[in-house]
mmCIF file of all heavy atoms in Angstrom:
data_model
loop_
_atom_site.group_PDB
_atom_site.id
_atom_site.type_symbol
_atom_site.label_atom_id
_atom_site.label_comp_id
_atom_site.label_asym_id
_atom_site.label_seq_id
_atom_site.Cartn_x
_atom_site.Cartn_y
_atom_site.Cartn_z
ATOM 1 N N ASP A 1 -72.811 29.042 -54.371
ATOM 2 C CA ASP A 1 -71.370 28.901 -54.499
ATOM 3 C C ASP A 1 -70.680 29.205 -53.168
ATOM 4 O O ASP A 1 -69.781 30.041 -53.086
ATOM 5 C CB ASP A 1 -70.834 29.812 -55.597
ATOM 6 C CG ASP A 1 -71.350 29.408 -56.957
ATOM 7 O OD1 ASP A 1 -71.660 28.235 -57.147
ATOM 8 O OD2 ASP A 1 -71.434 30.295 -57.829
ATOM 9 N N ILE A 2 -71.085 28.512 -52.131
ATOM 10 C CA ILE A 2 -70.510 28.708 -50.800
ATOM 11 C C ILE A 2 -69.179 27.976 -50.734
ATOM 12 O O ILE A 2 -69.088 26.798 -51.067
ATOM 13 C CB ILE A 2 -71.481 28.194 -49.714
ATOM 14 C CG1 ILE A 2 -72.785 28.992 -49.774
ATOM 15 C CG2 ILE A 2 -70.844 28.299 -48.344
ATOM 16 C CD1 ILE A 2 -73.883 28.410 -48.915
ATOM 17 N N ASN A 3 -68.149 28.673 -50.291
ATOM 18 C CA ASN A 3 -66.819 28.081 -50.145
ATOM 19 C C ASN A 3 -66.749 27.191 -48.917
ATOM 20 O O ASN A 3 -67.298 27.522 -47.871
ATOM 21 C CB ASN A 3 -65.770 29.187 -49.971
ATOM 22 C CG ASN A 3 -65.379 29.831 -51.251
ATOM 23 O OD1 ASN A 3 -64.821 29.174 -52.116
ATOM 24 N ND2 ASN A 3 -65.661 31.113 -51.397
ATOM 25 N N ALA A 4 -65.998 26.097 -49.018
ATOM 26 C CA ALA A 4 -65.700 25.284 -47.841
ATOM 27 C C ALA A 4 -64.838 26.113 -46.889
ATOM 28 O O ALA A 4 -64.134 27.036 -47.306
ATOM 29 C CB ALA A 4 -64.972 24.013 -48.256
ATOM 30 N N SER A 5 -64.884 25.773 -45.619
ATOM 31 C CA SER A 5 -64.258 26.602 -44.580
ATOM 32 C C SER A 5 -62.757 26.817 -44.773
ATOM 33 O O SER A 5 -62.236 27.866 -44.409
ATOM 34 C CB SER A 5 -64.515 26.007 -43.204
ATOM 35 O OG SER A 5 -64.030 24.686 -43.133
ATOM 36 N N ASP A 6 -62.027 25.874 -45.347
ATOM 37 C CA ASP A 6 -60.582 26.025 -45.497
ATOM 38 C C ASP A 6 -60.144 26.148 -46.953
ATOM 39 O O ASP A 6 -59.003 25.840 -47.299
ATOM 40 C CB ASP A 6 -59.851 24.865 -44.817
ATOM 41 C CG ASP A 6 -59.903 24.960 -43.305
ATOM 42 O OD1 ASP A 6 -59.881 26.087 -42.783
ATOM 43 O OD2 ASP A 6 -59.963 23.914 -42.644
ATOM 44 N N ASN A 7 -61.038 26.633 -47.827
ATOM 45 C CA ASN A 7 -60.659 26.874 -49.222
ATOM 46 C C ASN A 7 -59.592 27.938 -49.349
ATOM 47 O O ASN A 7 -58.755 27.888 -50.229
ATOM 48 C CB ASN A 7 -61.877 27.330 -50.039
ATOM 49 C CG ASN A 7 -62.606 26.179 -50.679
ATOM 50 O OD1 ASN A 7 -62.237 25.030 -50.550
ATOM 51 N ND2 ASN A 7 -63.682 26.504 -51.373
ATOM 52 N N TYR A 8 -59.651 28.949 -48.493
ATOM 53 C CA TYR A 8 -58.720 30.077 -48.564
ATOM 54 C C TYR A 8 -58.079 30.271 -47.208
ATOM 55 O O TYR A 8 -58.731 30.677 -46.266
ATOM 56 C CB TYR A 8 -59.456 31.360 -48.974
ATOM 57 C CG TYR A 8 -60.086 31.251 -50.328
ATOM 58 C CD1 TYR A 8 -61.421 30.933 -50.471
ATOM 59 C CD2 TYR A 8 -59.324 31.446 -51.472
ATOM 60 C CE1 TYR A 8 -62.000 30.821 -51.721
ATOM 61 C CE2 TYR A 8 -59.895 31.341 -52.732
ATOM 62 C CZ TYR A 8 -61.234 31.027 -52.844
ATOM 63 O OH TYR A 8 -61.789 30.912 -54.076
ATOM 64 N N TYR A 9 -56.812 29.985 -47.119
ATOM 65 C CA TYR A 9 -56.094 30.123 -45.858
ATOM 66 C C TYR A 9 -55.236 31.375 -45.944
ATOM 67 O O TYR A 9 -54.237 31.413 -46.676
ATOM 68 C CB TYR A 9 -55.244 28.874 -45.594
ATOM 69 C CG TYR A 9 -54.715 28.816 -44.193
ATOM 70 C CD1 TYR A 9 -55.575 28.612 -43.127
ATOM 71 C CD2 TYR A 9 -53.362 28.969 -43.942
ATOM 72 C CE1 TYR A 9 -55.091 28.564 -41.827
ATOM 73 C CE2 TYR A 9 -52.869 28.908 -42.653
ATOM 74 C CZ TYR A 9 -53.747 28.702 -41.605
ATOM 75 O OH TYR A 9 -53.275 28.662 -40.319
ATOM 76 N N PRO A 10 -55.597 32.433 -45.209
ATOM 77 C CA PRO A 10 -54.931 33.726 -45.383
ATOM 78 C C PRO A 10 -53.437 33.744 -45.035
ATOM 79 O O PRO A 10 -52.703 34.576 -45.543
ATOM 80 C CB PRO A 10 -55.711 34.660 -44.448
ATOM 81 C CG PRO A 10 -56.406 33.771 -43.489
ATOM 82 C CD PRO A 10 -56.629 32.469 -44.186
ATOM 83 N N PHE A 11 -52.983 32.809 -44.213
ATOM 84 C CA PHE A 11 -51.572 32.807 -43.828
ATOM 85 C C PHE A 11 -50.691 32.095 -44.851
ATOM 86 O O PHE A 11 -49.484 32.072 -44.715
ATOM 87 C CB PHE A 11 -51.405 32.192 -42.442
ATOM 88 C CG PHE A 11 -52.193 32.925 -41.394
ATOM 89 C CD1 PHE A 11 -53.327 32.370 -40.845
ATOM 90 C CD2 PHE A 11 -51.812 34.195 -40.992
ATOM 91 C CE1 PHE A 11 -54.066 33.055 -39.895
ATOM 92 C CE2 PHE A 11 -52.546 34.898 -40.044
ATOM 93 C CZ PHE A 11 -53.675 34.330 -39.489
ATOM 94 N N LEU A 12 -51.302 31.506 -45.866
ATOM 95 C CA LEU A 12 -50.547 30.849 -46.938
ATOM 96 C C LEU A 12 -50.982 31.416 -48.287
ATOM 97 O O LEU A 12 -51.301 30.687 -49.225
ATOM 98 C CB LEU A 12 -50.781 29.334 -46.908
ATOM 99 C CG LEU A 12 -50.219 28.581 -45.718
ATOM 100 C CD1 LEU A 12 -50.665 27.126 -45.751
ATOM 101 C CD2 LEU A 12 -48.701 28.656 -45.709
ATOM 102 N N ASP A 13 -51.030 32.733 -48.390
ATOM 103 C CA ASP A 13 -51.406 33.403 -49.644
ATOM 104 C C ASP A 13 -52.750 32.928 -50.184
ATOM 105 O O ASP A 13 -52.926 32.755 -51.381
ATOM 106 C CB ASP A 13 -50.326 33.211 -50.717
ATOM 107 C CG ASP A 13 -49.009 33.854 -50.305
ATOM 108 O OD1 ASP A 13 -49.045 34.907 -49.663
ATOM 109 O OD2 ASP A 13 -47.959 33.281 -50.635
ATOM 110 N N ASN A 14 -53.694 32.687 -49.284
ATOM 111 C CA ASN A 14 -55.046 32.245 -49.655
ATOM 112 C C ASN A 14 -55.077 30.888 -50.350
ATOM 113 O O ASN A 14 -55.984 30.590 -51.097
ATOM 114 C CB ASN A 14 -55.771 33.298 -50.492
ATOM 115 C CG ASN A 14 -56.120 34.510 -49.661
ATOM 116 O OD1 ASN A 14 -56.457 34.390 -48.485
ATOM 117 N ND2 ASN A 14 -56.047 35.681 -50.254
ATOM 118 N N SER A 15 -54.062 30.071 -50.107
ATOM 119 C CA SER A 15 -54.084 28.720 -50.672
ATOM 120 C C SER A 15 -55.094 27.882 -49.894
ATOM 121 O O SER A 15 -55.579 28.263 -48.849
ATOM 122 C CB SER A 15 -52.696 28.098 -50.600
ATOM 123 O OG SER A 15 -52.299 27.927 -49.269
ATOM 124 N N SER A 16 -55.415 26.736 -50.431
ATOM 125 C CA SER A 16 -56.360 25.828 -49.800
ATOM 126 C C SER A 16 -55.638 24.917 -48.809
ATOM 127 O O SER A 16 -54.501 24.507 -49.037
ATOM 128 C CB SER A 16 -57.037 24.974 -50.872
ATOM 129 O OG SER A 16 -57.851 23.998 -50.274
ATOM 130 N N LEU A 17 -56.314 24.585 -47.722
ATOM 131 C CA LEU A 17 -55.760 23.614 -46.765
ATOM 132 C C LEU A 17 -56.192 22.180 -47.093
ATOM 133 O O LEU A 17 -55.850 21.252 -46.375
ATOM 134 C CB LEU A 17 -56.175 23.971 -45.347
ATOM 135 C CG LEU A 17 -55.539 25.217 -44.765
ATOM 136 C CD1 LEU A 17 -55.958 25.416 -43.309
ATOM 137 C CD2 LEU A 17 -54.022 25.170 -44.852
ATOM 138 N N TYR A 18 -56.956 22.013 -48.176
ATOM 139 C CA TYR A 18 -57.371 20.682 -48.609
ATOM 140 C C TYR A 18 -56.386 20.219 -49.691
ATOM 141 O O TYR A 18 -56.392 20.740 -50.803
ATOM 142 C CB TYR A 18 -58.782 20.709 -49.177
ATOM 143 C CG TYR A 18 -59.811 21.271 -48.226
ATOM 144 C CD1 TYR A 18 -60.459 22.461 -48.513
ATOM 145 C CD2 TYR A 18 -60.120 20.613 -47.050
ATOM 146 C CE1 TYR A 18 -61.411 22.986 -47.651
ATOM 147 C CE2 TYR A 18 -61.062 21.134 -46.179
ATOM 148 C CZ TYR A 18 -61.705 22.311 -46.479
ATOM 149 O OH TYR A 18 -62.642 22.822 -45.620
ATOM 150 N N TYR A 19 -55.552 19.245 -49.361
ATOM 151 C CA TYR A 19 -54.581 18.786 -50.354
ATOM 152 C C TYR A 19 -54.149 17.356 -50.086
ATOM 153 O O TYR A 19 -54.298 16.831 -48.986
ATOM 154 C CB TYR A 19 -53.358 19.708 -50.402
ATOM 155 C CG TYR A 19 -52.545 19.765 -49.126
ATOM 156 C CD1 TYR A 19 -51.467 18.905 -48.937
ATOM 157 C CD2 TYR A 19 -52.859 20.653 -48.112
ATOM 158 C CE1 TYR A 19 -50.715 18.944 -47.785
ATOM 159 C CE2 TYR A 19 -52.116 20.700 -46.952
ATOM 160 C CZ TYR A 19 -51.042 19.854 -46.787
ATOM 161 O OH TYR A 19 -50.314 19.892 -45.624
ATOM 162 N N LEU A 20 -53.621 16.733 -51.128
ATOM 163 C CA LEU A 20 -53.027 15.409 -51.060
ATOM 164 C C LEU A 20 -51.555 15.556 -51.436
ATOM 165 O O LEU A 20 -51.212 16.336 -52.330
ATOM 166 C CB LEU A 20 -53.704 14.458 -52.052
ATOM 167 C CG LEU A 20 -55.213 14.273 -51.847
ATOM 168 C CD1 LEU A 20 -55.799 13.503 -53.022
ATOM 169 C CD2 LEU A 20 -55.488 13.550 -50.537
ATOM 170 N N SER A 21 -50.690 14.833 -50.749
ATOM 171 C CA SER A 21 -49.242 14.952 -50.960
ATOM 172 C C SER A 21 -48.640 13.663 -51.491
ATOM 173 O O SER A 21 -49.060 12.574 -51.098
ATOM 174 C CB SER A 21 -48.541 15.275 -49.631
ATOM 175 O OG SER A 21 -48.942 16.510 -49.146
ATOM 176 N N ILE A 22 -47.656 13.836 -52.348
ATOM 177 C CA ILE A 22 -46.836 12.714 -52.793
ATOM 178 C C ILE A 22 -45.509 12.820 -52.037
ATOM 179 O O ILE A 22 -44.831 13.834 -52.101
ATOM 180 C CB ILE A 22 -46.553 12.768 -54.311
ATOM 181 C CG1 ILE A 22 -47.856 12.842 -55.108
ATOM 182 C CG2 ILE A 22 -45.708 11.573 -54.737
ATOM 183 C CD1 ILE A 22 -48.763 11.669 -54.900
#
Side-chain angles (χ1 to χ4, degrees):
D1 295 333
I2 298 170
N3 280 296
S5 58
D6 288 326
N7 269 359
Y8 299 98
Y9 193 68
F11 301 108
L12 293 173
D13 297 324
N14 290 324
S15 64
S16 174
L17 290 184
Y18 304 114
Y19 63 92
L20 301 171
S21 296
I22 305 299

